[in-house]
Coordinates of all heavy atoms in Angstrom, one line a residue:
M1 N 15.7 -89.5 96.8 CA 15.2 -88.5 95.9 C 16.3 -88.3 94.8 O 17.5 -88.1 95.2 CB 14.9 -87.2 96.6 CG 14.0 -86.4 95.8 SD 13.1 -85.1 96.7 CE 14.0 -84.6 98.0
G2 N 16.0 -88.4 93.6 CA 17.0 -88.1 92.5 C 17.3 -86.6 92.4 O 16.6 -85.8 93.0
G3 N 18.3 -86.3 91.6 CA 18.8 -84.9 91.5 C 17.7 -84.1 90.9 O 17.5 -82.9 91.3
L4 N 16.9 -84.6 89.9 CA 15.9 -83.8 89.2 C 14.8 -83.5 90.2 O 14.3 -82.3 90.2 CB 15.4 -84.6 88.0 CG 14.5 -83.8 87.1 CD1 15.3 -82.7 86.5 CD2 14.0 -84.7 86.0
E5 N 14.4 -84.5 91.0 CA 13.3 -84.2 92.0 C 13.7 -83.1 92.9 O 12.9 -82.2 93.3 CB 12.9 -85.4 92.8 CG 11.8 -86.3 92.2 CD 12.4 -87.3 91.2 OE1 13.5 -87.1 90.7 OE2 11.7 -88.3 91.0
L6 N 14.9 -83.2 93.4 CA 15.4 -82.2 94.3 C 15.4 -80.8 93.7 O 14.9 -79.8 94.3 CB 16.9 -82.5 94.7 CG 17.5 -81.6 95.8 CD1 16.7 -81.8 97.1 CD2 19.0 -81.9 96.0
L7 N 15.8 -80.7 92.4 CA 15.8 -79.4 91.7 C 14.3 -78.9 91.6 O 14.1 -77.7 91.8 CB 16.4 -79.6 90.3 CG 16.7 -78.4 89.5 CD1 17.7 -77.6 90.2 CD2 17.1 -78.7 88.1
K8 N 13.4 -79.8 91.2 CA 12.0 -79.4 91.1 C 11.5 -78.8 92.4 O 10.8 -77.8 92.5 CB 11.1 -80.6 90.7 CG 11.1 -80.8 89.2 CD 10.1 -82.0 88.9 CE 10.3 -82.4 87.5 NZ 9.6 -83.8 87.3
C9 N 11.9 -79.6 93.5 CA 11.4 -79.2 94.8 C 12.0 -77.8 95.2 O 11.2 -76.9 95.6 CB 11.9 -80.2 95.8 SG 11.4 -79.9 97.5
L10 N 13.3 -77.6 94.9 CA 13.9 -76.3 95.2 C 13.2 -75.2 94.4 O 12.9 -74.1 94.9 CB 15.4 -76.3 94.8 CG 16.2 -77.0 95.9 CD1 17.7 -77.1 95.4 CD2 16.2 -76.3 97.2
M11 N 12.8 -75.5 93.1 CA 12.2 -74.5 92.3 C 10.8 -74.1 92.8 O 10.4 -73.0 92.8 CB 12.1 -75.0 90.8 CG 13.4 -74.8 90.1 SD 13.4 -75.5 88.5 CE 12.3 -74.4 87.6
A12 N 10.1 -75.2 93.3 CA 8.8 -74.9 93.9 C 8.9 -74.0 95.1 O 8.1 -73.1 95.2 CB 8.1 -76.2 94.2
I13 N 9.9 -74.3 95.9 CA 10.0 -73.4 97.1 C 10.4 -72.0 96.7 O 9.8 -71.0 97.2 CB 11.2 -74.0 98.0 CG1 10.7 -75.3 98.6 CG2 11.5 -73.0 99.1 CD1 11.8 -76.1 99.4
F14 N 11.3 -71.9 95.7 CA 11.7 -70.6 95.2 C 10.5 -69.8 94.7 O 10.3 -68.6 95.0 CB 12.7 -70.7 94.1 CG 13.1 -69.4 93.5 CD1 14.0 -68.6 94.2 CD2 12.7 -69.1 92.2 CE1 14.4 -67.4 93.6 CE2 13.1 -67.8 91.7 CZ 13.9 -67.0 92.4
C15 N 9.6 -70.5 93.9 CA 8.4 -69.8 93.4 C 7.5 -69.3 94.5 O 7.0 -68.2 94.5 CB 7.6 -70.8 92.6 SG 8.3 -71.0 90.9
L16 N 7.2 -70.2 95.5 CA 6.4 -69.8 96.6 C 6.9 -68.6 97.3 O 6.2 -67.6 97.7 CB 6.3 -71.0 97.6 CG 5.3 -72.1 97.2 CD1 5.4 -73.2 98.3 CD2 3.9 -71.5 97.1
V17 N 8.2 -68.6 97.6 CA 8.8 -67.5 98.3 C 8.7 -66.2 97.4 O 8.3 -65.1 98.0 CB 10.3 -67.7 98.6 CG1 11.0 -66.5 99.1 CG2 10.5 -68.8 99.6
S18 N 9.0 -66.3 96.1 CA 8.9 -65.0 95.3 C 7.4 -64.5 95.3 O 7.2 -63.3 95.3 CB 9.5 -65.1 94.0 OG 9.6 -66.5 93.6
V19 N 6.5 -65.5 95.1 CA 5.1 -65.0 95.1 C 4.7 -64.3 96.4 O 4.1 -63.2 96.3 CB 4.1 -66.2 94.8 CG1 2.7 -65.9 95.1 CG2 4.3 -66.7 93.4
S20 N 5.1 -64.8 97.5 CA 4.7 -64.2 98.7 C 5.4 -62.9 98.9 O 4.8 -61.9 99.4 CB 4.9 -65.1 99.9 OG 6.2 -65.6 99.9
L21 N 6.6 -62.8 98.4 CA 7.3 -61.5 98.4 C 6.6 -60.4 97.6 O 6.4 -59.3 98.0 CB 8.8 -61.6 97.9 CG 9.8 -62.1 99.0 CD1 11.1 -62.2 98.3 CD2 9.8 -61.2 100.2
I22 N 6.2 -60.8 96.4 CA 5.5 -59.9 95.5 C 4.2 -59.4 96.1 O 3.9 -58.3 96.2 CB 5.3 -60.5 94.1 CG1 6.6 -60.7 93.4 CG2 4.4 -59.7 93.3 CD1 6.6 -61.6 92.2
A23 N 3.5 -60.4 96.7 CA 2.2 -60.1 97.3 C 2.4 -59.1 98.5 O 1.7 -58.1 98.6 CB 1.5 -61.3 97.8
G24 N 3.4 -59.4 99.3 CA 3.8 -58.5 100.4 C 4.1 -57.1 100.0 O 3.7 -56.1 100.5
C25 N 4.9 -57.0 98.9 CA 5.3 -55.7 98.4 C 4.1 -54.9 97.9 O 4.0 -53.7 98.0 CB 6.4 -55.8 97.3 SG 7.9 -56.4 97.9
G26 N 3.2 -55.6 97.2 CA 2.0 -54.9 96.7 C 1.2 -54.2 97.8 O 0.8 -53.1 97.6
K27 N 1.1 -54.9 98.9 CA 0.4 -54.3 100.0 C 1.1 -53.1 100.6 O 0.5 -52.2 101.0 CB 0.3 -55.4 101.1 CG -1.1 -56.0 101.2 CD -1.2 -56.9 102.4 CE -2.2 -58.0 102.1 NZ -2.0 -59.2 103.0
K28 N 2.4 -53.2 100.6 CA 3.3 -52.3 101.3 C 3.1 -50.8 100.7 O 3.2 -49.9 101.5 CB 4.7 -52.7 101.1 CG 5.5 -52.4 102.4 CD 7.0 -52.9 102.2 CE 7.9 -52.0 103.0 NZ 9.3 -52.1 102.5
D29 N 2.7 -50.8 99.4 CA 2.5 -49.4 98.8 C 1.7 -48.5 99.6 O 1.9 -47.3 99.7 CB 1.8 -49.6 97.5 CG 2.8 -50.0 96.4 OD1 4.0 -49.9 96.7 OD2 2.4 -50.4 95.3
Y30 N 0.6 -49.0 100.3 CA -0.3 -48.1 100.9 C -0.1 -47.9 102.4 O -0.8 -47.2 103.1 CB -1.8 -48.6 100.7 CG -2.0 -48.8 99.2 CD1 -2.4 -50.1 98.7 CD2 -1.8 -47.8 98.3 CE1 -2.6 -50.3 97.4 CE2 -2.0 -48.0 96.9 CZ -2.4 -49.2 96.5 OH -2.6 -49.4 95.2
T31 N 0.9 -48.6 102.9 CA 1.1 -48.5 104.4 C 1.5 -47.1 104.8 O 1.3 -46.7 106.0 CB 2.2 -49.5 104.9 OG1 3.4 -49.3 104.1 CG2 1.7 -50.9 104.8
I32 N 2.0 -46.3 103.9 CA 2.3 -44.9 104.3 C 1.1 -44.2 104.7 O 1.1 -43.4 105.7 CB 3.0 -44.1 103.1 CG1 3.4 -42.7 103.4 CG2 2.2 -44.1 101.8 CD1 4.7 -42.5 104.1
I33 N 0.0 -44.4 104.0 CA -1.3 -43.8 104.4 C -1.8 -44.4 105.7 O -2.2 -43.6 106.6 CB -2.4 -44.1 103.3 CG1 -1.9 -43.6 101.9 CG2 -3.7 -43.4 103.6 CD1 -2.0 -42.1 101.7
E34 N -1.7 -45.7 105.9 CA -2.1 -46.3 107.1 C -1.3 -45.7 108.3 O -1.9 -45.3 109.3 CB -1.9 -47.8 107.1 CG -2.6 -48.6 106.0 CD -4.1 -48.6 106.3 OE1 -4.5 -48.6 107.4 OE2 -4.8 -48.5 105.3
A35 N 0.0 -45.6 108.1 CA 0.9 -45.2 109.1 C 0.7 -43.7 109.5 O 0.7 -43.3 110.6 CB 2.3 -45.5 108.8
K36 N 0.5 -42.9 108.4 CA 0.5 -41.4 108.7 C -0.8 -40.8 108.8 O -1.0 -39.8 109.4 CB 1.3 -40.7 107.5 CG 2.8 -40.9 107.5 CD 3.4 -40.2 108.6 CE 4.8 -40.5 108.9 NZ 5.4 -39.8 110.0
C37 N -1.8 -41.5 108.2 CA -3.1 -40.9 108.1 C -4.2 -41.6 108.9 O -5.3 -41.2 109.0 CB -3.6 -40.7 106.7 SG -2.3 -40.1 105.6
G38 N -3.8 -42.8 109.4 CA -4.8 -43.7 110.0 C -4.9 -43.5 111.5 O -5.6 -44.3 112.2
N39 N -4.1 -42.6 112.1 CA -4.1 -42.4 113.5 C -5.3 -41.6 114.1 O -5.9 -42.0 115.1 CB -2.8 -41.8 114.0 CG -1.6 -42.7 113.7 OD1 -1.7 -43.9 113.7 ND2 -0.5 -42.1 113.3
C40 N -5.6 -40.5 113.4 CA -6.6 -39.6 113.9 C -8.0 -40.0 113.4 O -9.0 -39.7 114.0 CB -6.3 -38.2 113.5 SG -4.7 -37.6 114.1
H41 N -8.0 -40.5 112.2 CA -9.2 -40.9 111.6 C -8.9 -42.2 110.8 O -7.8 -42.5 110.5 CB -9.9 -39.8 110.7 CG -8.9 -39.1 109.8 ND1 -8.2 -39.8 108.8 CD2 -8.4 -37.8 109.8 CE1 -7.4 -38.9 108.2 NE2 -7.5 -37.7 108.8
K42 N -9.9 -42.8 110.3 CA -9.7 -44.0 109.4 C -9.0 -43.6 108.1 O -9.3 -42.5 107.6 CB -11.0 -44.7 109.1 CG -11.6 -45.4 110.2 CD -12.8 -46.3 109.8 CE -13.3 -47.1 110.9 NZ -14.7 -47.6 110.7
S43 N -8.1 -44.4 107.7 CA -7.4 -44.0 106.4 C -8.3 -44.0 105.2 O -8.0 -43.4 104.2 CB -6.2 -45.0 106.2 OG -6.6 -46.3 106.2
E44 N -9.5 -44.6 105.4 CA -10.5 -44.6 104.2 C -10.9 -43.2 103.9 O -11.2 -42.9 102.7 CB -11.7 -45.5 104.6 CG -11.5 -46.9 104.5 CD -11.1 -47.5 105.8 OE1 -11.9 -47.7 106.7 OE2 -9.9 -47.8 105.9
I45 N -10.9 -42.3 104.9 CA -11.3 -41.0 104.6 C -10.5 -40.3 103.5 O -11.0 -39.5 102.8 CB -11.2 -40.1 105.9 CG1 -12.0 -38.9 105.9 CG2 -9.8 -39.8 106.2 CD1 -12.1 -38.1 107.2
V46 N -9.3 -40.8 103.4 CA -8.4 -40.3 102.3 C -8.8 -40.6 100.9 O -8.6 -39.9 100.0 CB -6.9 -40.8 102.6 CG1 -6.0 -40.3 101.5 CG2 -6.5 -40.5 104.0
Y47 N -9.5 -41.8 100.8 CA -9.9 -42.3 99.5 C -11.3 -41.9 99.0 O -11.7 -42.3 98.0 CB -9.8 -43.8 99.5 CG -8.5 -44.4 100.0 CD1 -8.4 -45.3 101.0 CD2 -7.3 -43.9 99.5 CE1 -7.2 -45.8 101.5 CE2 -6.0 -44.4 100.0 CZ -6.0 -45.4 101.0 OH -4.9 -45.9 101.4
L48 N -11.9 -41.1 99.8 CA -13.3 -40.8 99.5 C -13.5 -39.8 98.3 O -14.5 -39.9 97.6 CB -14.0 -40.2 100.8 CG -14.3 -41.1 101.9 CD1 -15.0 -40.4 103.1 CD2 -15.1 -42.3 101.5
K49 N -12.6 -38.9 98.2 CA -12.8 -37.8 97.2 C -11.6 -37.5 96.4 O -10.5 -37.5 96.9 CB -13.2 -36.6 98.1 CG -14.1 -35.6 97.4 CD -14.4 -34.4 98.3 CE -14.1 -33.1 97.7 NZ -14.2 -32.0 98.6
K50 N -11.8 -37.2 95.1 CA -10.7 -36.8 94.2 C -10.5 -35.3 94.5 O -11.4 -34.5 94.7 CB -11.2 -36.9 92.8 CG -11.0 -38.3 92.2 CD -11.4 -38.2 90.7 CE -10.7 -39.3 89.9 NZ -10.8 -39.0 88.5
R51 N -9.2 -35.0 94.4 CA -8.8 -33.6 94.6 C -7.7 -33.2 93.6 O -7.0 -34.1 93.1 CB -8.3 -33.3 96.0 CG -9.4 -33.4 97.1 CD -8.7 -33.3 98.5 NE -9.7 -33.1 99.5 CZ -10.4 -34.1 100.1 NH1 -10.2 -35.3 99.7 NH2 -11.3 -33.8 101.0
S52 N -7.5 -31.9 93.3 CA -6.4 -31.5 92.5 C -5.1 -31.5 93.4 O -5.2 -31.6 94.6 CB -6.6 -30.1 92.0 OG -6.6 -29.2 93.1
I53 N -4.0 -31.4 92.8 CA -2.7 -31.4 93.5 C -2.7 -30.3 94.6 O -2.3 -30.5 95.7 CB -1.5 -31.3 92.6 CG1 -1.4 -32.6 91.8 CG2 -0.2 -31.0 93.4 CD1 -0.2 -32.7 90.9
D54 N -3.2 -29.1 94.1 CA -3.3 -27.9 95.1 C -4.1 -28.3 96.3 O -3.8 -28.0 97.4 CB -3.9 -26.7 94.4 CG -2.9 -25.9 93.6 OD1 -1.7 -26.4 93.6 OD2 -3.2 -24.9 93.0
E55 N -5.3 -28.9 96.0 CA -6.2 -29.2 97.1 C -5.6 -30.2 98.0 O -5.8 -30.1 99.2 CB -7.6 -29.7 96.5 CG -8.4 -28.6 96.0 CD -9.6 -29.1 95.2 OE1 -9.5 -30.2 94.5 OE2 -10.7 -28.5 95.2
W56 N -4.9 -31.2 97.5 CA -4.2 -32.2 98.3 C -3.2 -31.6 99.2 O -3.0 -31.9 100.3 CB -3.7 -33.4 97.5 CG -4.7 -34.4 97.1 CD1 -5.1 -34.8 95.9 CD2 -5.4 -35.3 98.0 NE1 -6.0 -35.8 96.0 CE2 -6.2 -36.1 97.3 CE3 -5.4 -35.4 99.4 CZ2 -7.1 -37.0 97.9 CZ3 -6.2 -36.3 100.0 CH2 -7.1 -37.1 99.2
N57 N -2.4 -30.6 98.5 CA -1.4 -29.9 99.3 C -2.1 -29.2 100.5 O -1.5 -29.1 101.6 CB -0.6 -28.9 98.5 CG 0.5 -29.6 97.8 OD1 1.3 -30.4 98.4 ND2 0.7 -29.4 96.5
R58 N -3.2 -28.6 100.2 CA -4.0 -27.9 101.3 C -4.4 -28.8 102.4 O -4.3 -28.5 103.6 CB -5.1 -27.1 100.7 CG -5.0 -25.6 100.8 CD -6.1 -24.8 100.1 NE -5.8 -24.8 98.7 CZ -6.7 -24.7 97.7 NH1 -8.0 -24.8 98.0 NH2 -6.4 -24.6 96.4
V59 N -4.9 -30.0 102.0 CA -5.4 -31.0 102.9 C -4.2 -31.4 103.8 O -4.3 -31.4 105.0 CB -6.0 -32.3 102.2 CG1 -6.1 -33.4 103.2 CG2 -7.3 -31.9 101.6
L60 N -3.0 -31.7 103.2 CA -1.9 -32.1 103.9 C -1.4 -31.0 104.9 O -1.0 -31.3 106.0 CB -0.7 -32.5 103.0 CG -0.9 -33.8 102.2 CD1 0.3 -34.2 101.4 CD2 -1.4 -35.0 103.0
Y61 N -1.5 -29.8 104.4 CA -1.1 -28.7 105.3 C -2.1 -28.6 106.5 O -1.6 -28.4 107.6 CB -1.1 -27.4 104.5 CG -0.7 -26.2 105.3 CD1 0.6 -26.1 105.7 CD2 -1.6 -25.2 105.6 CE1 1.0 -24.9 106.5 CE2 -1.3 -24.1 106.3 CZ 0.1 -24.0 106.8 OH 0.4 -22.9 107.5
A62 N -3.3 -28.8 106.2 CA -4.3 -28.7 107.3 C -4.1 -29.8 108.3 O -4.2 -29.6 109.5 CB -5.8 -28.8 106.7
M63 N -3.7 -31.0 107.8 CA -3.4 -32.1 108.7 C -2.1 -31.8 109.5 O -2.0 -32.2 110.7 CB -3.2 -33.4 107.9 CG -4.4 -33.9 107.2 SD -5.9 -34.0 108.2 CE -7.1 -33.2 107.1
Q64 N -1.2 -31.2 108.9 CA 0.0 -30.8 109.6 C -0.3 -29.8 110.8 O 0.3 -29.9 111.8 CB 1.1 -30.2 108.7 CG 1.8 -31.3 107.9 CD 2.7 -30.7 106.8 OE1 2.3 -30.0 105.9 NE2 4.0 -31.0 106.9
L65 N -1.2 -28.9 110.5 CA -1.6 -28.0 111.6 C -2.3 -28.7 112.7 O -2.1 -28.4 113.9 CB -2.7 -27.0 111.0 CG -2.1 -25.9 110.0 CD1 -3.3 -25.0 109.6 CD2 -1.0 -25.1 110.6
R66 N -2.9 -29.9 112.4 CA -3.5 -30.7 113.4 C -2.6 -31.6 114.1 O -2.9 -32.2 115.1 CB -4.7 -31.5 112.8 CG -5.8 -30.6 112.4 CD -6.9 -31.5 111.7 NE -8.1 -30.7 111.5 CZ -8.5 -30.4 110.2 NH1 -8.0 -31.0 109.2 NH2 -9.6 -29.7 110.1
G67 N -1.3 -31.7 113.6 CA -0.3 -32.5 114.3 C 0.3 -33.6 113.5 O 1.2 -34.3 114.0
L68 N 0.0 -33.7 112.2 CA 0.7 -34.6 111.4 C 2.1 -34.2 111.1 O 2.4 -33.0 110.9 CB 0.0 -34.7 110.0 CG 0.7 -35.5 108.9 CD1 0.6 -37.0 109.1 CD2 0.0 -35.1 107.5
T69 N 3.1 -35.1 111.2 CA 4.4 -34.8 110.8 C 4.8 -35.7 109.6 O 4.8 -36.9 109.7 CB 5.4 -35.1 112.0 OG1 5.2 -36.4 112.5 CG2 5.3 -34.0 113.0
I70 N 5.2 -35.1 108.5 CA 5.7 -35.9 107.4 C 6.9 -35.1 106.8 O 7.0 -33.9 106.7 CB 4.7 -36.1 106.2 CG1 3.8 -34.8 106.0 CG2 3.8 -37.3 106.5 CD1 3.0 -34.9 104.7
S71 N 7.9 -35.9 106.2 CA 9.0 -35.4 105.5 C 8.6 -35.1 104.1 O 7.5 -35.6 103.6 CB 10.2 -36.3 105.6 OG 9.8 -37.5 104.9
E72 N 9.4 -34.4 103.3 CA 9.2 -34.2 101.9 C 9.1 -35.5 101.2 O 8.3 -35.7 100.3 CB 10.3 -33.3 101.3 CG 10.1 -31.8 101.5 CD 8.7 -31.3 101.1 OE1 8.4 -31.5 99.9 OE2 8.0 -30.8 101.9
K73 N 10.0 -36.5 101.6 CA 10.0 -37.8 101.0 C 8.7 -38.5 101.2 O 8.1 -39.1 100.3 CB 11.2 -38.6 101.5 CG 11.4 -40.0 100.9 CD 12.6 -40.6 101.4 CE 12.7 -42.1 101.1 NZ 11.9 -42.9 102.0
E74 N 8.2 -38.5 102.4 CA 6.9 -39.1 102.7 C 5.8 -38.5 102.0 O 4.8 -39.2 101.5 CB 6.7 -39.1 104.3 CG 7.6 -40.0 105.0 CD 7.6 -39.8 106.5 OE1 7.3 -38.6 107.0 OE2 7.9 -40.7 107.3
K75 N 5.8 -37.2 101.8 CA 4.8 -36.5 101.1 C 4.8 -37.0 99.6 O 3.7 -37.2 99.1 CB 5.1 -35.0 101.1 CG 4.0 -34.1 100.8 CD 4.3 -32.7 101.2 CE 3.4 -31.7 100.4 NZ 3.7 -30.3 100.7
G76 N 6.0 -37.2 99.1 CA 6.1 -37.7 97.7 C 5.5 -39.1 97.7 O 4.8 -39.4 96.7
E77 N 5.7 -39.9 98.7 CA 5.1 -41.3 98.7 C 3.6 -41.2 98.8 O 2.9 -42.0 98.1 CB 5.7 -42.1 99.9 CG 7.2 -42.5 99.7 CD 7.8 -43.1 101.0 OE1 7.0 -43.6 101.8 OE2 9.0 -42.9 101.2
I78 N 3.1 -40.3 99.6 CA 1.7 -40.1 99.7 C 1.1 -39.7 98.3 O 0.1 -40.3 97.9 CB 1.3 -39.1 100.7 CG1 1.6 -39.6 102.1 CG2 -0.2 -38.7 100.6 CD1 1.6 -38.6 103.2
F79 N 1.7 -38.8 97.6 CA 1.3 -38.4 96.3 C 1.3 -39.6 95.3 O 0.5 -39.7 94.4 CB 2.0 -37.2 95.8 CG 1.3 -35.9 96.2 CD1 1.8 -35.2 97.3 CD2 0.2 -35.4 95.5 CE1 1.1 -34.0 97.7 CE2 -0.4 -34.2 95.9 CZ 0.1 -33.5 97.0
D80 N 2.4 -40.4 95.4 CA 2.4 -41.6 94.6 C 1.2 -42.5 94.8 O 0.6 -43.0 93.8 CB 3.7 -42.4 94.9 CG 5.0 -41.7 94.3 OD1 4.8 -40.8 93.5 OD2 6.1 -42.1 94.8
V81 N 0.8 -42.7 96.0 CA -0.4 -43.5 96.3 C -1.6 -42.9 95.7 O -2.5 -43.5 95.1 CB -0.6 -43.8 97.8 CG1 -1.8 -44.5 98.1 CG2 0.6 -44.5 98.4
L82 N -1.8 -41.6 95.9 CA -2.9 -40.8 95.4 C -3.0 -41.0 93.9 O -4.1 -41.2 93.3 CB -2.9 -39.4 95.8 CG -2.9 -39.1 97.3 CD1 -2.7 -37.6 97.6 CD2 -4.3 -39.5 97.9
K83 N -1.8 -40.8 93.2 CA -1.8 -41.0 91.8 C -2.2 -42.4 91.4 O -3.0 -42.5 90.5 CB -0.3 -40.7 91.3 CG -0.2 -39.8 90.1 CD 1.2 -39.5 89.7 CE 1.9 -38.6 90.7 NZ 3.4 -38.6 90.5
E84 N -1.7 -43.4 92.1 CA -2.0 -44.8 91.7 C -3.4 -45.1 91.9 O -4.0 -45.9 91.1 CB -1.1 -45.7 92.6 CG -0.9 -47.0 91.9 CD 0.0 -47.9 92.8 OE1 1.1 -47.4 93.2 OE2 -0.4 -49.1 93.0
K85 N -4.1 -44.5 92.9 CA -5.5 -44.7 93.2 C -6.4 -43.8 92.4 O -7.6 -43.7 92.6 CB -5.7 -44.6 94.7 CG -5.1 -45.7 95.5 CD -5.8 -45.9 96.8 CE -5.5 -47.2 97.4 NZ -6.7 -48.0 97.6
K86 N -5.8 -43.0 91.5 CA -6.5 -42.1 90.6 C -7.3 -41.1 91.4 O -8.5 -40.8 91.1 CB -7.3 -42.8 89.6 CG -6.6 -43.9 88.8 CD -7.2 -44.2 87.5 CE -6.5 -45.3 86.7 NZ -5.0 -45.3 86.8
L87 N -6.7 -40.6 92.4 CA -7.4 -39.6 93.3 C -7.0 -38.2 93.0 O -7.4 -37.3 93.8 CB -7.2 -39.9 94.8 CG -7.9 -41.2 95.3 CD1 -7.4 -41.7 96.6 CD2 -9.4 -40.9 95.4
I88 N -6.3 -38.0 92.0 CA -5.8 -36.6 91.7 C -6.5 -36.1 90.4 O -6.4 -36.8 89.3 CB -4.3 -36.6 91.5 CG1 -3.6 -37.0 92.8 CG2 -3.8 -35.2 91.1 CD1 -2.1 -37.0 92.8
N89 N -7.2 -35.0 90.5 CA -7.9 -34.4 89.3 C -6.9 -33.6 88.6 O -5.9 -33.1 89.1 CB -8.9 -33.4 89.8 CG -10.2 -34.1 90.3 OD1 -10.6 -35.1 89.8 ND2 -10.8 -33.5 91.3
N90 N -7.1 -33.4 87.3 CA -6.2 -32.5 86.6 C -6.7 -31.1 86.6 O -7.9 -30.8 86.6 CB -6.1 -32.9 85.1 CG -5.5 -34.3 85.0 OD1 -4.4 -34.5 85.6 ND2 -6.2 -35.2 84.3
Ligands
HEC101 C1 -3.1 -35.2 113.9 C2 -4.3 -35.8 113.4 C3 -4.5 -36.1 111.9 C4 -3.6 -36.8 111.1 C5 -2.3 -37.4 111.4 C6 -4.3 -36.8 109.8 N1 -5.5 -36.1 109.9 FE1 -6.8 -35.9 108.3 N2 -8.1 -35.0 109.6 C7 -7.9 -34.8 111.0 C8 -9.1 -34.3 111.5 C9 -9.3 -33.9 113.0 C10 -10.1 -34.2 110.5 C11 -11.5 -33.8 110.8 C12 -12.3 -33.2 109.8 C13 -12.2 -31.7 109.8 O1 -12.2 -31.1 110.8 O2 -12.1 -31.2 108.6 C14 -9.4 -34.7 109.3 C15 -10.0 -34.8 108.1 C16 -9.4 -35.3 106.9 C17 -10.0 -35.3 105.6 C18 -11.4 -34.8 105.2 C19 -11.4 -33.3 105.0 C20 -12.4 -32.8 104.2 O3 -12.5 -31.5 104.2 O4 -13.1 -33.5 103.5 C21 -9.1 -35.7 104.7 C22 -9.2 -35.9 103.2 C23 -7.9 -36.0 105.5 N3 -8.1 -35.7 106.8 C24 -6.7 -36.5 105.0 C25 -5.6 -36.9 105.7 C26 -4.4 -37.4 105.2 C27 -4.2 -37.7 103.7 C28 -3.6 -37.7 106.2 C29 -2.2 -38.3 106.1 C30 -1.2 -37.6 105.3 C31 -4.2 -37.2 107.4 N4 -5.5 -36.8 107.1 C32 -3.7 -37.3 108.7 C33 -6.8 -35.0 111.7 C34 -5.7 -35.7 111.2

C-alpha cells in the first residue's frame, strides 16, 4: 500500500468514528428523561402534552412527591430537552 492509500484509509476510519460519535451524542440528549422519568411510567408520557414552565415545575414537584430524585442540574437538563422538543408553552 502506498502512502496515499494509507492516508485515505486512515481518513475513512476517522470519518466513520466521528459519524458514530455524533450519532451517539445526538441520542444521548434524551437519556435524562429515560433515566429519570422512565422508571414509574413510560417516558413517552412526558412528550404527550405541552405545558408552561410553571406547569412543568408543578409536574416535576408532583413526581418528586411520588419518589423522583433530581438535582438542580438534572432539572436544567430536563428543561433543555423539553425546550428542544418544543413542549414548553409561553
Ligand atoms: C417515582 C415514580 C415516578 C417518577 C420517577 C416519575 N413519575 Fe411521572 N408519574 C408518576 C405517576 C404515579 C403518575 C400517574 C399519573 C397520576 O397519578 O397523575 C405520573 C404521571 C406523569 C405525567 C402525567 C400527569 C398528568 O397530569 O398528565 C407526567 C407528564 C409525568 N408523570 C412526568 C414525569 C416526568 C417529566 C418525570 C421525570 C422528571 C417523571 N414523571 C418521573 C410517577 C413518577
Side-chain angles (χ1 to χ4, degrees):
M1 204 164 23
L4 192 60
E5 269 90 339
L6 186 65
L7 190 65
K8 277 185 190 162
C9 184
L10 284 175
M11 279 173 71
I13 291 171
F14 177 75
C15 282
L16 282 175
V17 170
S18 18
V19 165
S20 52
L21 277 180
I22 291 165
C25 288
K27 255 184 212 161
K28 218 176 148 201
D29 279 347
Y30 308 122
T31 54
I32 180 87
I33 305 285
E34 300 294 325
K36 288 289 169 181
C37 316
N39 297 325
C40 302
H41 44 63
K42 287 191 175 162
S43 53
E44 283 90 79
I45 198 174
V46 179
Y47 308 127
L48 289 180
K49 211 178 127 188
K50 278 185 155 193
R51 293 174 166 83
S52 68
I53 291 188
D54 275 1
E55 285 169 326
W56 277 117
N57 273 316
R58 247 173 279 150
V59 166
L60 291 186
Y61 182 67
M63 298 308 136
Q64 282 174 301
L65 292 181
R66 291 178 174 117
L68 169 73
T69 51
I70 39 167
S71 64
E72 280 305 303
K73 183 173 166 280
E74 288 165 335
K75 202 168 158 181
E77 288 170 29
I78 289 168
F79 271 96
D80 286 345
V81 175
L82 295 175
K83 227 178 283 167
E84 202 177 313
K85 291 201 160 242
K86 308 205 186 317
L87 286 166
I88 299 179
N89 285 327
N90 295 311

